[in-house]
Amino acid sequence: MKKEELQAEIAALESKIQECQNRLAHLYREREELLKQEVERERYISSKEIIDLIYERTGKQSNMSMIKRWSDDGLLGEVVDEKELFWALRSKQGKKRFLYQKKYVYAFLYEKGYLKPMFDVLDRVSLKDATAASGVVINSQLHGDQFTYTIQLEDTGQVRQNVEEKQITWLLEGV
């Protein structure tokens, strides 16, 4: 190979490396934005998710027209377009999907009796932490977009405050 050919090949390869490095930096930025939006999306709930939540927690059937009416009356807080706010996330195809901040929706649904805690007072539960201790629910309260519980542990009598719903599960008898 001649000196000029080698120089041209080196320049082409350096150019390709620079393009790949730019592309890699762009992909890192996109991934970072995607992760941020995934975390932020957890703070919102869609109309369909509201219907499912009501049914899951109370067994009551609801419909989109009821959710739309509440939204139009401003009872669910500010409405945002999912595709506009969370452009980096893959969204469902078709019609616009409206989202509402969970803290406002949960407060409204709780006030209206459409949202109840998963665990009732005196339910026996197990903690999902390393102790896997069992206890009894002695109180529950809604904090923002989640229920928290006060649990008295069965083996020590210790009372644990502000235990999040996701940190407990039903106590399986005989296990």
Side-chain angles (χ1 to χ4, degrees), residues 16-122:
K16 185 161 181 94
I17 290 171
Q18 186 61 46
E19 283 179 34
C20 289
Q21 287 176 335
N22 291 342
R23 176 76 176 134
L24 183 60
H26 176 72
L27 290 174
Y28 278 131
R29 286 190 301 273
E30 276 188 14
R31 182 182 66 180
E32 187 176 321
E33 184 62 31
L34 178 72
L35 294 174
K36 282 182 194 174
Q37 287 190 17
E38 283 177 343
V39 169
E40 180 67 14
R41 174 60 175 87
E42 289 297 315
R43 294 179 47 220
Y44 289 85
I45 187 167
S46 71
S47 300
K48 172 79 169 99
E49 292 167 338
I50 293 171
I51 290 170
D52 293 343
L53 178 67
I54 291 171
Y55 184 74
E56 173 188 318
R57 293 298 179 99
T58 65
K60 295 178 182 177
Q61 292 286 347
S62 51
N63 56 50
M64 286 292 186
S65 63
M66 186 168 72
I67 306 300
K68 174 89 168 88
R69 187 172 50 252
W70 290 342
S71 175
D72 290 346
D73 292 343
L75 301 172
L76 302 178
E78 181 184 357
V79 182
V80 296
D81 180 1
E82 182 178 35
K83 291 179 183 178
E84 186 178 307
L85 188 61
F86 300 109
W87 51 267
L89 300 178
R90 173 177 278 180
S91 63
K92 308 261 193 271
Q93 296 295 320
K95 298 180 181 178
K96 282 187 172 183
R97 286 176 44 99
F98 296 115
L99 300 177
Y100 312 90
Q101 284 191 21
K102 282 183 180 178
K103 64 182 178 180
Y104 298 117
V105 172
Y106 278 43
F108 171 74
L109 294 177
Y110 184 67
E111 179 183 308
K112 290 293 186 184
Y114 286 105
L115 182 64
K116 295 180 181 175
M118 186 175 292
F119 304 97
D120 290 326
V121 172
L122 299 182

